[in-house]
Amino acid sequence: MQFYTACKTGKMDKAISIWFLLGWTTGDTLNLVGTYLADQLPLQRYTSAYYIFADLIMLCFYFYFKCRNQSPSMYAPINAVCGLAFLGSVATFSLLQEAGPMPMNSAEAFHSRHLLSTNGEEEYSVKNKIGFACGLLSTLSYLLSRLPQIYTNFKRKSTEGLAPTLFLLVILGNLTYGASLLLKNPDSGQSEGSYVVRHLPWLTGSLGAVFLDLIILGQFFNYRGRLNDPLEQ
């Protein structure tokens, strides 16, 4: 819906803070790295990969409208470049999906995990610590990225160019994402406390972002009806 709203209003470069997009993309990238290094659930990995793909498309839209609004004469070349970039992103994402690692059967997965926990315990521990740190940095990026967007909306006294459904779906996604982590049973021999601690960065990032996204939704209600951007007058 954000892509539709951007095309409809043509103000995406004014409505969305670039720091919001960059912080979001950084958070998703660190999230993906962290989920692999910390051996998180497959759902977390797939979700992170999809988010990065969506972030890249959002960035392409942002710079497209930024260049188009500043240089109308470059409209046709920008269309061509963005079209090629979009097709390249789709092709790359498809190839990465097809070139994914071959799934292991349960016996191989258990054997690999057993070797990792007995013969390479130190290496596994270091890898998990790095993944955990990436998860913490990802959470920080998620939370900090919302602040420039909140300030941009406040400064414009308008949310024109933003799609409320974007933040509604993000809130819904983060709530279900956090719930899926909390409702999953811990692995055999793992206590509930250690399970929560292991997933704490991702829980904090998803549920903490909900609070800030609710503030942005509140701005939609507060500034509704104000279609004119005072910064453009």
Side-chain angles (χ1 to χ4, degrees):
M1 290 300 296
Q2 180 59 52
F3 301 139
Y4 170 76
T5 302
C7 294
K8 182 180 179 180
T9 63
K11 296 182 179 180
M12 184 173 179
D13 58 313
K14 297 180 177 62
I16 294 185
S17 169
I18 183 59
W19 298 111
F20 170 59
L21 291 178
L22 292 177
W24 209 349
T25 305
T26 301
D28 287 333
T29 304
L30 289 171
N31 187 27
L32 179 61
V33 174
T35 54
Y36 272 97
L37 293 179
D39 196 22
Q40 297 294 301
L41 302 176
L43 173 65
Q44 295 174 260
R45 301 176 186 177
Y46 301 147
T47 303
S48 300
Y50 169 75
Y51 282 163
I52 292 175
F53 176 71
D55 293 340
L56 293 177
I57 299 299
M58 289 273 284
L59 284 170
C60 286
F61 267 76
Y62 176 88
F63 287 112
Y64 167 78
F65 285 105
K66 187 75 171 177
C67 295
R68 194 191 72 170
N69 292 336
Q70 290 183 353
S71 305
S73 61
M74 297 293 292
Y75 182 80
I78 291 172
N79 279 341
V81 171
C82 288
L84 291 175
F86 175 77
L87 292 176
S89 299
V90 173
T92 302
F93 184 76
S94 301
L95 290 175
L96 288 175
Q97 288 287 89
E98 296 177 359
M102 294 297 292
M104 296 187 296
N105 57 42
S106 58
E108 290 174 334
F110 175 80
H111 181 63
S112 174
R113 194 68 169 269
H114 178 71
L115 289 177
L116 194 59
S117 62
T118 56
N119 297 335
E121 184 174 355
E122 182 178 355
E123 179 183 358
Y124 182 75
S125 175
V126 170
K127 188 179 81 166
N128 270 264
K129 288 179 180 179
I130 296 175
F132 193 86
C134 288
L136 290 174
L137 291 175
S138 172
T139 295
L140 187 63
S141 297
Y142 284 144
L143 299 181
L144 292 179
S145 68
R146 265 67 172 180
L147 300 181
Q149 186 59 51
I150 293 173
Y151 174 73
T152 297
N153 295 340
F154 174 77
K155 186 177 180 180
R156 296 175 67 225
K157 295 295 188 293
S158 171
T159 55
E160 185 186 9
L162 290 177
T165 49
L166 168 66
F167 295 94
L168 283 172
L169 292 175
V170 168
I171 290 173
L172 180 61
N174 280 327
L175 287 175
T176 53
Y177 181 84
S180 67
L181 295 180
L182 291 174
L183 294 177
K184 183 183 180 298
N185 293 326
D187 296 332
S188 179
Q190 185 181 31
S191 65
E192 293 184 359
S194 62
Y195 173 82
V196 172
V197 170
R198 182 182 179 187
H199 296 281
L200 188 60
W202 293 271
L203 284 170
T204 306
S206 60
L207 300 180
V210 169
F211 172 73
L212 295 175
D213 288 335
L214 286 174
I215 294 178
I216 296 177
L217 278 182
Q219 291 180 316
F220 276 98
F221 288 101
N222 187 35
Y223 300 138
R224 62 181 175 180
R226 303 185 186 182
L227 297 180
N228 294 325
D229 188 346
L231 296 181
E232 296 178 359
Q233 297 177 356

